[in-house]
Amino acid sequence: MGLSEFNQQLSTELDAIRQKNLLRFLRRIDSPQGPKIEMNGRSLLNFSSNDYLGLANHPHLVEASLKAIRDYGCGSGAARLVSGSLKVHHDLEEAIASFKQMPAALSFSTGYAAALGTIGAICDKDDIIVIDKLVHASVVDAARLCGAKLRIFKHNDLNDLEDILKWSLAARNNEGKSSRVLVVTESVFSMDGDFAPLREIVELKDKYGAVLMVDEAHATGIYGTLGRGCIDQHGVRERVEIQMGTLGKALGASGGFICGSRELIDLLINHARSFVFSTASVPAASAAAIAALQWVQTEEGEKGRSRLFENIHQFNELVKRETGNEASVRNCPILPVIIGDEARAIVVAERLLNWGYLVPAIRYPTVARGKARLRVTMSAAHSTEQVVDFSLEIRRALRG
Ligand SMILES: *Cc1c(COP(=O)(O)O)cnc(C)c1O
């Protein structure tokens, strides 16, 4: 095939995506992340990022990154097992383990890599993975890649989960070999901003002898004592085998992590391919994450969470209740405004963009077809005035 023929094919595929109103493209931002960002010479109010506490450009993190660059340079040089296991990475893992009050932690270059490496390290084709219908793509990809039998339970549906766990018990016994059953869910769902019933899920996995992995990507830094997460909030820390998280959302840095027992972490160091075969994170990112972990546990961190929840409350009062989105009024920085139709979601998002607000129209395959939405995200760094202005404009945009 000639190069031009290949490109012609790709162009046809792109046209098909465009026709379904599913084409995506990158918007270049010329400023740091924050409540206000610069795009094409315009200043926009940003209601699209996962920087819930305003840490991505916080002086405390910036200073820590700069210091790490001076101390360790820019690159880590190799994978951790080769020669890239720098003091800053060890310091980070100690900070994560201490924050989460767990015996041990392991950092990965991203949360995506943490999911891929971890699930692949503990499950293979003889095992069974049971996931919530709405878990993140990183978990879905990991489950598919490791070759285990995959079963999906209806979103947050404990009866469905129990039925599958019952079936898994029989499936395991039938084959007469010891296979593992891994249940994976998210504590806060990334596109809906709702919560998993963690206590009940823990009860079920114990009843049926399964192992539980909880992705706290959107809970870390926000919920529980000092922002430890929902596992802490629900008091099930000692009953969840695998805690996963990212350093790139509320913690304002970059990277992913797993915490759990020493045995789990030692196994991952040996078996998690995304850890073994990938260059260690840059020192600047790990140092920023350490600074963020310190910050979230201070009084300032506490104040940041209060500010965030005030903003969430304000938006819920002005938008969710007013627009009949009442059913989805939640105490969560992820505030989806469900629109349904993909084309209309784009129109509303474009309208808001013209008025100076950046909010993403989330469509298939990130969410189901016909469930397109504006994914509004709130930050502690937004002022009350910004939240009120935006709330009024979003109502106007929905009416038009
Ligand atoms: C963002 C996200 C991840 C991936 O984390 P990254 O550090 O961005 O790779 C995993 N799980 C959930 C639920 C997420 O929202």
Side-chain angles (χ1 to χ4, degrees):
M1 182 187 298
L3 184 57
S4 68
E5 194 185 341
F6 176 58
N7 287 332
Q8 192 56 49
Q9 281 180 353
L10 300 187
S11 174
T12 308
E13 285 171 37
L14 284 165
D15 284 341
I17 300 172
R18 191 178 294 112
Q19 293 224 316
K20 291 180 217 148
N21 292 306
L22 295 176
L23 190 71
R24 299 160 181 222
F25 56 89
L26 296 170
R27 295 184 198 276
R28 197 185 75 193
I29 309 289
D30 300 310
S31 64
Q33 281 294 325
K36 269 196 180 155
I37 50 174
E38 294 283 326
M39 204 174 88
N40 293 331
R42 286 178 70 207
S43 173
L44 298 174
L45 276 178
N46 180 16
F47 286 91
S48 66
S49 115
N50 301 313
D51 181 23
Y52 305 126
L53 295 172
L55 289 180
N57 188 33
H58 192 286
H60 190 51
L61 276 71
V62 171
E63 279 313 309
S65 288
L66 289 172
K67 179 167 186 313
I69 291 175
R70 280 188 224 105
D71 291 349
Y72 300 101
C74 290
S76 292
R80 294 281 298 281
L81 286 167
V82 178
S83 64
S85 196
L86 306 179
K87 177 175 183 296
V88 67
H89 301 131
H90 292 264
D91 289 347
L92 171 61
E93 287 157 359
E94 277 170 29
I96 296 169
S98 147
F99 173 60
K100 294 269 181 178
Q101 300 185 311
M102 294 300 291
L106 189 66
S107 63
F108 289 75
S109 53
T110 62
Y112 188 98
L116 221 59
T118 302
I119 292 177
I122 58 171
C123 288
D124 64 22
K125 64 175 181 29
D126 294 327
D127 299 314
I128 297 169
I129 301 184
V130 187
I131 62 176
D132 185 285
K133 171 97 173 102
L134 296 188
V135 292
H136 191 257
S138 57
V139 170
V140 176
D141 294 356
R144 287 191 184 140
L145 189 66
C146 75
K149 282 194 198 77
L150 180 60
R151 290 289 179 277
I152 300 170
F153 64 98
K154 291 188 201 123
H155 178 51
N156 279 345
D157 187 326
L158 294 166
N159 291 328
D160 201 30
L161 173 59
E162 181 154 22
D163 285 346
I164 293 173
L165 286 173
K166 262 183 207 151
W167 162 85
S168 78
L169 214 53
R172 262 187 293 178
N173 290 341
N174 281 344
E175 285 156 29
K177 54 186 169 232
S178 78
S179 65
R180 187 173 274 151
V181 178
L182 174 70
V183 176
V184 193
T185 192
E186 249 157 73
S187 52
V188 176
F189 284 86
S190 61
M191 294 299 139
D192 290 74
D194 58 349
F195 304 89
L198 282 186
R199 264 200 158 274
E200 291 79 357
I201 291 177
V202 165
E203 293 295 333
L204 282 177
K205 71 94 188 166
D206 277 347
K207 184 171 167 191
Y208 292 94
V211 169
L212 178 62
M213 173 167 171
V214 178
D215 181 352
E216 294 247 64
H218 295 276
T220 299
I222 308 291
Y223 298 101
T225 311
L226 302 178
R228 282 186 199 124
C230 293
I231 291 173
D232 173 83
Q233 190 182 29
H234 285 83
V236 290
R237 175 165 47 83
E238 284 165 359
R239 299 175 67 190
V240 176
E241 286 83 357
I242 307 170
Q243 296 194 28
M244 169 179 155
T246 174
L247 305 167
K249 285 166 183 162
L251 296 175
S254 172
F257 67 85
I258 294 291
C259 37
S261 65
R262 187 70 250 170
E263 292 83 348
L264 171 69
I265 299 307
D266 287 344
L267 187 90
L268 295 180
I269 291 172
N270 283 276
H271 266 180
R273 295 173 65 86
S274 62
F275 176 85
V276 176
F277 297 106
S278 188
T279 301
S281 294
V282 293
S286 299
I290 294 172
L293 286 165
Q294 287 164 346
W295 188 90
V296 296
Q297 297 178 79
T298 61
E299 186 122 342
E300 260 193 277
E302 213 51 68
K303 276 191 210 141
R305 283 186 286 278
S306 305
R307 274 289 311 137
L308 174 63
F309 285 110
E310 277 165 32
N311 285 341
I312 293 166
H313 178 73
Q314 188 70 261
F315 183 85
N316 274 333
E317 288 304 307
L318 288 175
V319 177
K320 293 273 181 154
R321 292 189 209 284
E322 284 293 322
T323 55
N325 257 287
E326 174 123 23
S328 62
V329 170
R330 291 190 192 98
N331 211 14
C332 181
I334 301 164
L335 297 154
V337 176
I338 308 289
I339 291 181
D341 180 60
E342 282 79 19
R344 180 163 151 74
I346 295 173
V347 168
V348 178
E350 283 292 327
R351 197 174 282 155
L352 283 163
L353 190 63
N354 289 335
W355 298 346
Y357 301 91
L358 182 63
V359 187
I362 303 285
R363 290 158 284 161
Y364 178 83
T366 309
V367 297
R369 285 182 212 275
K371 293 244 169 100
R373 66 200 60 190
L374 302 178
R375 179 178 182 267
V376 173
T377 48
M378 216 37 82
S379 165
H382 290 122
S383 69
T384 306
E385 192 190 355
Q386 288 169 340
V387 175
V388 171
D389 287 350
F390 171 63
S391 300
L392 300 178
E393 294 291 53
I394 206 170
R395 276 163 54 178
R396 189 156 75 93
L398 288 169
R399 277 197 304 267

